[in-house]
Amino acid sequence: MSRDLCRLAMTVLHPGFDGTSAPDWLRRALGEGLGGVVLFARNVVNPRLVRELRAEHPGTVIAIDEEGGTVTRLEVMAGSSFPGNRALGVVDDVALTEQVGRQIGRMLADLDITLDYAPSADVNANPANPVIGVRSFGPEPDLVARHTVAYVRGVQGAGVAACAKHFPGHGDTVTDSHLALPTVHASREVLAERDLPPFRAAIDAGVRSIMSGHLLVPALDPSMPATLSRTVLTELLRGELGFDGMLVTDAIEMRAVAAMFGPGEIAVRAIAAGVDAICVGLTTEDGLRELRDALVDAVRDGRLPEERLAEAAARVSALSGWYDGQSRARAEAHDDLDEGVGLRAARRALTTSGAAGLDRAPLVVEINTRLNQAVDPATQTGVTAALAALLPNTGSVRLGPDGELPVFDERPVVLVVHDAARHPWVRDTVAKALAVRPDAIIVDTGVPAPPPGATHVATHGISRVSALAAAEWLVA
């Protein structure tokens, strides 16, 4: 096996791993030129771990999903210090969004992390969307575009690369690509007017990376999902939109593509389509070697031009080089700590009706607080804990679709719901509770339904600060 060809193949592979320290096989792979590593909450990310990785390959691209709001890897156990995209879109203050992005970038810069897989530049055009929702800045392309730019400027101004995702737009889907292949049923004209503007804006703002979505968009390519489509990635993203940064896949073990091909075939097809980096959420030594060998064999068999693989590896190296050149920006961001910006944003994002004024410990009924596959299951949703900190002896009950309402006593009742607009069973459960307790207070942490007449507060996102802002309002 050609050493140069093998190194090119290793450069475009960006795996995740299990454990809180770098396993031996990963250290060896880094020494062989592994181009990137993806970190997750399970890795308990800390400076020691990042130093372990950089000791083997100083230039490796270390990436993480740190969107703020529901998707956090660094603050899973407490909940994010930042309210998430939809809340920022509701406030619609681009200076505030940029400062939030800067503080997230600062947090990553202090850990020596190269790349943030954020922001979501998806326009959440379909209220039934099961996986984007509050991860989007909102349902309007102009709104999403201006806040995408602000977020990118914030993160990259702190010396960390940002990544606009999920190209060409995951907002108008009713399927979670972690579970199956979503289809975007929109014409080229609608895509151009609705889904593409935030990506155009991000490119114009100098975003260093874009992530492809595992989406079938028949108006662009009726046979292959975007991640595997040369039409979508090379002709549209590279050609028409002019993006020349590092293009990374969403995790290739997601069922949207994994149900179609094996990992090696996905990697070969993605690189051939125009991708530069293959994100693998979790792999092993054998799995990594399988991917490397598939790319090398495809070059030798003539299925993948070596020039394309070399171009992809060069873009990975270029991103690493950009990061190396941003040390001054990271140092300046380190001195620009603004610990309160997340809570300020969360408070401004609240939309309320009625009056709360809780003066004693309530019973909190959590309805549908399990989120989606993009969210780490350990992520704290927080409203109950935030209320309990202010009102000791706060009680709680959690209900799923088949759950029965508890027997209410004299305590105040707070119904915490998520995405009531998307789930009829959630709205039905709320209606049943209000029939018994019309004085119940509703807190919606997702894309809210119209207030059903009761006291209502919408946080527009799940985070530690969003929960705290809601609790403060409830007891004011």
Side-chain angles (χ1 to χ4, degrees):
M1 184 179 293
S2 162
R3 179 171 296 181
D4 290 345
L5 187 54
C6 179
R7 196 169 187 90
L8 289 178
M10 291 293 279
T11 300
V12 304
L13 298 177
H14 296 196
F17 62 95
D18 208 0
T20 58
S21 61
D24 289 343
W25 66 263
L26 184 62
R27 292 171 185 263
R28 288 192 295 272
L30 287 163
E32 296 167 9
L34 184 68
V37 177
V38 187
L39 301 178
F40 290 87
R42 63 174 179 261
N43 303 125
V44 190
V45 181
N46 58 66
R48 175 195 56 77
L49 173 60
V50 176
R51 285 195 298 270
E52 283 182 11
L53 300 172
R54 294 223 180 271
E56 304 297 337
H57 182 5
T60 194
V61 172
I62 300 177
I64 199 167
D65 275 294
E66 195 62 38
E67 298 178 16
T70 60
V71 178
T72 176
R73 307 303 184 212
L74 299 178
E75 298 187 288
V76 161
M77 299 313 296
S80 179
S81 301
F82 308 98
N85 284 5
R86 184 180 176 90
L88 295 171
V90 167
V91 177
D92 197 13
D93 178 343
V94 291
L96 179 67
T97 296
E98 183 169 348
Q99 182 63 356
V100 166
R102 181 171 177 79
Q103 292 303 302
I104 291 174
R106 177 190 181 280
M107 182 167 60
L108 301 183
D110 282 354
L111 286 166
D112 199 14
I113 290 172
T114 318
L115 172 64
D116 188 8
Y117 287 152
S120 166
D122 306 298
V123 178
N124 199 56
N126 193 329
N129 195 309
V131 69
I132 301 301
V134 293
R135 299 169 65 198
S136 165
F137 290 110
E140 300 296 333
D142 290 347
L143 173 77
V144 175
R146 62 178 173 267
H147 286 278
T148 295
V149 167
Y151 191 108
V152 167
R153 286 177 174 161
V155 171
Q156 295 192 168
V160 172
C163 179
K165 62 187 184 184
H166 308 80
F167 188 82
H170 206 319
D172 186 15
T173 63
V174 293
T175 303
D176 184 343
S177 51
H178 294 83
L179 306 175
L181 178 62
T183 300
V184 178
H185 300 285
S187 66
R188 289 186 70 100
E189 292 73 24
V190 168
L191 293 168
E193 294 174 4
R194 183 191 65 194
D195 297 282
L196 297 183
F199 292 99
R200 288 185 183 273
I203 292 165
D204 290 344
V207 71
R208 307 305 303 186
S209 181
I210 286 178
M211 177 180 284
S212 65
H214 299 323
L215 313 161
L216 187 66
V217 189
L220 301 176
D221 187 329
S223 60
M224 281 292 146
T227 296
L228 308 179
S229 171
R230 183 173 176 81
T231 303
V232 174
L233 300 184
T234 297
E235 296 179 16
L236 176 59
L237 180 58
R238 300 290 192 198
E240 293 184 36
L241 274 64
F243 179 62
D244 194 38
M246 191 189 83
L247 176 57
V248 60
T249 68
D250 210 340
I252 63 168
E253 67 267 36
M254 292 164 64
R255 294 301 298 167
V257 290
M260 300 177 68
F261 303 107
E265 184 67 11
I266 292 171
V268 169
R269 287 174 177 260
I271 297 293
V275 160
D276 304 308
I278 305 296
C279 170
V280 193
L282 178 62
T283 194
T284 61
E285 181 170 19
D286 288 345
L288 185 65
R289 303 300 173 190
E290 177 187 344
L291 292 168
R292 179 201 66 187
D293 293 350
L295 290 167
V296 170
D297 290 347
V299 171
R300 289 180 167 167
D301 294 345
R303 294 181 56 219
L304 176 64
E306 185 171 352
E307 297 77 17
R308 170 78 274 273
L309 183 61
E311 178 186 54
R315 288 204 181 103
V316 173
S317 298
L319 180 67
S320 175
W322 177 87
Y323 178 80
D324 286 346
Q326 299 299 309
S327 57
R328 181 174 178 179
R330 291 192 290 278
E332 291 174 353
H334 175 79
D335 296 333
D336 184 26
L337 175 62
D338 184 353
E339 288 183 317
V341 68
L343 182 56
R344 294 199 306 274
R347 286 168 175 158
R348 290 178 63 186
L350 293 182
T351 54
T352 62
S353 62
L358 279 175
D359 59 358
R360 55 201 171 100
L363 173 66
V364 179
V365 183
E366 299 185 3
I367 305 168
N368 191 40
T369 48
R370 174 67 186 106
L371 306 174
N372 62 62
Q373 299 294 315
V375 181
D376 191 288
T379 302
Q380 294 296 305
T381 52
V383 175
T384 301
L387 276 172
L390 299 175
L391 298 170
N393 300 317
T394 291
S396 67
V397 176
R398 182 171 293 183
L399 296 184
D402 301 319
E404 293 291 330
L405 285 170
V407 175
F408 295 125
D409 51 28
E410 74 284 352
R411 288 176 292 178
V413 174
V414 177
L415 308 175
V416 179
V417 303
H418 185 73
D419 280 356
R422 196 165 62 83
H423 295 289
W425 76 265
V426 173
R427 297 194 298 276
D428 291 345
T429 303
V430 169
K432 289 175 184 176
L434 290 176
V436 180
R437 287 292 299 266
D439 62 333
I441 298 165
I442 300 168
V443 180
D444 197 324
T445 61
V447 178
T455 298
H456 187 279
V457 55
T459 65
H460 303 284
I462 287 176
S463 68
R464 179 180 59 81
V465 289
S466 296
L468 177 56
E472 289 176 342
W473 185 83
L474 290 172
V475 301

